[in-house]
Amino acid sequence: MDTVVSYLISANPETKKKDVVWFALNDDRPLFAFAGIWTEFKGDRGTKSKPIPGPHLVNGFLTTAPNAAVEPIHPKAMPMILTTPEECDVWMRARWDEAKALQRPLPDDALRIVARGADKEDVVAA
């Protein structure tokens, strides 16, 4: 994989339908990652009528306040984005007192919208 983009769903004021909004670091779409956490959940998952007993491996990604590029699309939060191999290494190996500095919005000009519409697949990367 040589490019990565991320998307959020947003209402289109013209069509009144939900659009997929694709973000990338720039038009070349360099690789980036979301900071996440894996853990083991020991309860039931699934529906109430068909629960699946645990343990289950589950994951989630950390969020932070949105930057100016993301805020109009998702005003509550944006993923904690790691943009360099060094940041990924800090996230994977450092103690929390060092790694927590990565939980910040990217600078306002660090993300851009590279596509918007109904497509839920990145047609440029395909």
Side-chain angles (χ1 to χ4, degrees), residues 13-62:
E14 293 176 17
T15 65
K16 307 295 184 213
K17 295 182 181 181
K18 291 188 176 181
D19 276 350
V20 177
V21 181
W22 291 90
F23 292 90
L25 297 176
N26 61 48
D27 291 334
D28 294 333
R29 300 178 174 204
L31 186 65
F32 67 87
F34 290 178
I37 298 172
W38 282 97
T39 191
E40 185 177 56
F41 175 68
K42 296 183 179 173
D44 291 344
R45 298 209 53 197
T47 64
K48 287 183 181 181
S49 63
K50 295 182 182 177
I52 303 166
H56 303 277
L57 288 177
V58 295
N59 71 334
F61 59 87
L62 279 70

Side-chain angles (χ1 to χ4, degrees), residues 64-85:
T64 187
N67 68 6
V70 173
E71 197 271 338
I73 309 303
H74 198 278
K76 293 184 180 181
M78 69 181 287
M80 184 176 141
I81 298 174
L82 308 173
T83 61
T84 66

